[in-house]
Amino acid sequence: MFKNAIVRRPSRSLVDGITSAPELGKPNYELALKQHDDYIKALEECGVKVTVLQALEEFPDSCFVEDTAVLTPKCAIISNPGALSRQGESPLMVENIKKFYNDDQIEYITSPGTMEGGDVMMVGNHFYIGLSARTNEEGCRQFKEALAKYGHTCSVVSLEKVLHLKTGVNYVENNNMLVSGEFIEKEDYTSFNKVIVPESEAYGANCIWVNDTVIVAEGYPTVEKCVRDLGYKVIIVDTSEFRKLDGGLSCLSLRF
Ligand code: CIR
């Protein structure tokens, strides 16, 4: 169960965030704020206490807090983002994480290692880390080493197409895993109850499990039905403005 979540308000500079899909247009700041409000409400409805951090104008992508750290029941691992414009976000997260973890429970990924939290998927005591454009081999090595100190295990998954691991594969507990695109055939996930997300709804694969409720993005009816069929309560949240920057539900919070 998660007790806490950390989110950061979108900044006006959000419109200058990194995107691989400029054809979707720039995010609308006001609408992004409304969607962020709804996202916070959804998390609260799932029973977590949400810490809301102030917007950081100097970092357009800083509302995607998931990339700044990985928080486990035993430790916090501060990332070192592979995106240059985002590297200042992680140090700014440390003071907030120190409110929940002791200094001796906090680990740091350091250069030349890079790692972004969107590349990490927690399955109980085991962590999958994506080797991606943002997370490099040295980052994976450091991450694995840090986790081992706390008895966590880790395996590396190479990404071919998507930005982050959780762009395409998400664990929703009880052995259930939503998989799309390049992850459908990966051997890493054969032991799970795989729910295959059609290509037309690939963005919707990025769902989050929060205390037996699954938050699903608006506009992905097949995903919504599959998740309901698994027996979960579902909350729908519109993330259209964050999608324009390759951001999804998981990116917008740290849950622990
Ligand atoms: C970026 O490219 O870094 C942001 N525009 C989107 C980050 C999405 N984060 C995530 O999937 N965890």
Side-chain angles (χ1 to χ4, degrees):
M1 298 291 273
F2 294 129
K3 286 196 184 128
N4 292 289
I6 299 177
V7 302
R8 187 181 288 287
R9 295 300 273 166
S11 55
R12 285 187 181 276
S13 59
L14 181 76
V15 293
D16 299 319
I18 307 169
T19 182
S20 68
E23 69 279 7
L24 296 179
K26 298 251 183 211
N28 173 312
Y29 170 67
E30 301 297 338
L31 184 53
L33 281 184
K34 187 200 169 288
Q35 293 179 350
H36 201 255
D37 285 338
D38 292 344
Y39 181 77
I40 293 169
K41 273 187 219 137
L43 287 173
E44 286 172 342
E45 219 177 302
C46 298
V48 295
K49 183 170 181 326
V50 185
T51 299
V52 183
L53 306 177
Q54 281 182 359
L56 292 172
E57 287 301 333
E58 59 278 41
F59 295 107
D61 287 294
S62 53
C63 61
F64 301 118
V65 284
E66 176 180 65
D67 295 319
T68 63
V70 172
L71 304 181
T72 90
K74 297 176 189 163
C75 65
I77 300 178
I78 311 300
S79 74
N80 185 27
L84 218 61
S85 65
R86 302 198 60 192
Q87 284 186 341
E89 294 176 30
S90 296
L92 291 172
M93 190 52 80
V94 177
E95 59 179 302
N96 303 299
I97 286 173
K98 284 191 172 175
K99 293 184 182 133
F100 300 95
Y101 292 84
N102 298 327
D103 283 358
D104 64 359
Q105 292 176 290
I106 304 180
E107 308 287 333
Y108 298 82
I109 304 296
T110 56
S111 295
T114 64
M115 184 270 265
E116 295 189 359
D119 273 322
V120 175
M121 181 172 67
M122 178 172 83
V123 179
N125 198 36
H126 188 75
F127 291 74
Y128 292 92
I129 183 165
L131 179 61
S132 71
R134 301 288 182 86
T135 297
N136 65 13
E137 278 186 32
E138 173 59 14
C140 292
R141 193 197 62 73
Q142 289 181 21
F143 183 68
K144 204 167 180 168
E145 191 175 270
L147 285 176
K149 288 193 206 170
Y150 302 88
H152 294 307
T153 54
C154 177
S155 45
V156 178
V157 183
S158 292
L159 306 197
E160 285 136 42
K161 295 184 185 142
V162 294
L163 174 65
H164 286 126
L165 180 69
K166 284 188 301 219
T167 309
V169 54
N170 287 272
Y171 185 58
V172 290
E173 304 295 321
N174 309 307
N175 207 44
N176 296 317
M177 193 164 280
L178 291 162
V179 288
S180 69
E182 63 187 90
F183 301 100
I184 295 172
E185 299 300 335
K186 284 222 189 282
E187 283 184 7
D188 306 74
Y189 309 121
T190 43
S191 63
F192 294 97
N193 174 37
K194 284 200 282 186
V195 175
I196 297 182
V197 174
E199 196 51 37
S200 58
E201 292 195 22
Y203 173 84
N206 185 255
C207 293
I208 50 174
W209 176 96
V210 188
N211 304 341
D212 283 340
T213 294
V214 175
I215 305 179
V216 177
E218 185 170 311
Y220 301 90
T222 313
V223 176
E224 181 185 344
K225 179 173 186 316
C226 290
V227 173
R228 286 192 195 280
D229 288 348
L230 290 171
Y232 296 112
K233 180 184 166 203
V234 168
I235 302 179
I236 302 288
V237 175
D238 192 358
T239 54
S240 65
E241 301 317 289
F242 303 104
R243 183 185 176 181
K244 293 174 182 172
L245 301 179
D246 304 321
L249 287 162
S250 76
C251 323
L252 290 169
S253 62
L254 287 163
R255 303 160 297 282
F256 56 105

